[in-house]
Amino acid sequence: MIKNLAFINYKTTGAKMKKRHIIFLSIRLFQFLLAAAIIFLINGESKAQQRRDEKPTNLKVLPKNTSGQEVRTIMEGFTRALGVKCNYCHEDSKAADFGPMDFASDAKKEKQVARTMIAMVNNINSIQLKKSRDIVSDIGEVACVTCHRGAANIDMLEDILFRTYKRGGLEAAFNRYDELRKKYYGGFTYDFRDHTLLSFSSKVSEDGNAADALTIVLKNCGLFPDSSPSFTFLGNLYLKSGDNEKAISNFEKAVRLDPNNHFADGQLKKLKNPEKK
C-alpha cells in the first residue's frame, strides 16, 4: 500500500515537473517572439523613416527642393482626391518583391497624365484665378478634389449611365446606377439628386428610345416621390406619346408638389383648354 502511494506521489510529482517545464519553455518562447517582433518593428519603422527622409528624384513638375515628407503629403492628398492608392500612378513591381515602390519610374501613363494635371492646376491657380481675383477678391483655389471628388475619372453620373446603356441596355444601366448609389450615396463623388436620372432619360430619348426614357423617369419618380420636376418630365413624355390623360394627371401632381411650377401649370392650361392659345 505504501509502495503504491509512493509510486503515485512520484508519478504526480513528475507530471507537475513536466508541466512546469512546458510552461517555462512556453514563456521563454513567447519572450523570444516578442523580442523578435519588437526588433522587426523597430527596423521596419527605421527603414520607413529612411524612405520618408530620402530626397525625391525625377521631380519634373514639383519644385526640385521639395522634401520627401512634403512630396509624401502631396501624394497622400492625390490618393484621397482620386480614391486610389499609390500604385495607380507608380510602378509597384519592386513592391511585389517586398522592395520599395519605384516612385522615380515614369513607366505608367497615369503618372505622366498626373504631371499634366498638376501643371494645369498650378496654371489655373496662379494665372487664371489671379485674374479673377482682381475682379472678385474672395475666389478660392482649385485642387484635384475639386473635379475628381473621390473618383479617378471625372465623368458625370448621367454620362456613365448613358455609356453603360449603349453597351448593355437599360438593365445594365440601372444595375450600374444602383451599384454606384450603394457605394457613393451620401458622399460628393456623384450627384444622386432627382435631376440626374432625368438628364439620363433625356439622352436616351434623344437617342430615339422613348419607351426606355419613360421607364427611367418612372424609376426616378419611385426614388423621388416628392419631386415636382420628375412628374413634370413624366407628363411631357406622356404628352409626346399622345396620352393626354396621363400627361394631365402627372402635370397636376407636379403642381400639387410645387404650386410655383409654372411650366407644369402652363401645360395643364393648354391641355384643359385647347381652344385657348
Side-chain angles (χ1 to χ4, degrees):
M1 182 68 178
I2 293 173
K3 288 182 179 180
N4 290 340
L5 288 173
F7 176 74
I8 292 171
N9 185 56
Y10 172 79
K11 187 176 180 180
T12 304
T13 302
K16 288 182 178 178
M17 289 293 291
K18 186 176 181 181
K19 183 176 181 181
R20 288 176 183 173
H21 185 64
I22 292 172
I23 292 172
F24 174 76
L25 290 176
S26 298
I27 292 172
R28 293 304 298 271
L29 179 61
F30 173 75
Q31 290 173 336
F32 172 77
L33 292 175
L34 180 61
I38 291 172
I39 292 171
F40 177 79
L41 290 173
I42 290 173
N43 288 338
E45 179 58 31
S46 176
K47 290 179 180 178
Q49 184 62 45
Q50 289 175 10
R51 288 197 294 271
R52 285 195 290 268
D53 294 339
E54 285 178 2
K55 183 172 179 59
T57 59
N58 197 26
L59 295 181
K60 294 183 179 178
V61 179
L62 296 176
K64 300 292 185 183
N65 61 351
T66 308
S67 71
Q69 185 57 52
E70 288 172 331
V71 170
R72 183 182 179 86
T73 300
I74 293 169
M75 295 301 153
E76 286 174 349
F78 291 165
T79 60
R80 289 192 297 271
L82 275 68
V84 297
K85 295 182 179 179
C86 299
N87 62 358
Y88 182 78
C89 287
H90 295 291
E91 182 65 40
D92 62 354
S93 57
K94 288 186 178 180
D97 297 324
F98 302 100
M101 189 171 287
D102 193 354
F103 292 113
S105 171
D106 289 339
K108 300 195 74 170
K109 62 182 180 180
E110 288 82 1
K111 181 180 180 182
Q112 298 170 39
V113 172
R115 283 195 175 117
T116 66
M117 294 292 103
I118 295 170
M120 178 190 72
V121 168
N122 290 341
N123 178 274
I124 292 172
N125 286 323
S126 62
I127 299 176
Q128 307 304 325
L129 290 182
K130 186 177 182 299
K131 295 177 182 178
S132 299
R133 290 189 194 98
D134 293 337
I135 304 170
V136 180
S137 61
D138 60 346
I139 293 177
E141 292 190 339
V142 300
C144 299
V145 72
T146 306
C147 294
H148 283 275
R149 297 181 178 271
N153 297 313
I154 60 173
D155 300 317
M156 300 289 284
L157 179 54
E158 50 264 44
D159 295 327
I160 294 173
L161 296 176
F162 186 64
R163 280 202 306 272
T164 306
Y165 171 78
K166 293 293 287 183
R167 288 195 302 264
L170 191 57
E171 183 177 357
F174 281 166
N175 288 338
R176 184 65 172 148
Y177 177 84
D178 294 339
E179 173 192 330
L180 293 173
R181 184 181 173 90
K182 182 178 180 180
K183 183 176 181 180
Y184 291 105
Y185 186 79
F188 65 174
T189 303
Y190 297 113
D191 190 347
F192 289 98
R193 290 177 295 173
D194 57 351
H195 66 85
T196 296
L197 284 180
L198 297 182
S199 178
F200 172 39
S201 175
S202 290
K203 292 176 182 293
V204 171
S205 180
E206 290 168 7
D207 197 50
N209 199 324
D212 283 351
L214 179 63
T215 302
I216 295 167
V217 179
L218 287 170
K219 178 181 176 70
N220 202 52
C221 289
L223 290 170
F224 303 98
D226 297 325
S227 167
S228 180
S230 295
F231 289 97
T232 302
F233 215 94
L234 190 56
N236 262 336
L237 289 176
Y238 280 126
L239 184 61
K240 288 178 181 178
S241 69
D243 193 335
N244 288 4
E245 184 177 344
K246 286 186 177 179
I248 290 172
S249 175
N250 282 283
F251 285 137
E252 287 176 338
K253 185 164 186 176
V255 172
R256 285 198 302 272
L257 289 168
D258 179 12
N260 293 318
N261 187 333
H262 301 300
F263 178 83
D265 187 56
Q267 293 292 76
L268 274 175
K269 289 176 180 176
K270 290 178 183 178
L271 286 167
K272 292 183 176 180
N273 300 285
E275 69 281 358
K276 293 184 180 180
K277 294 184 179 180

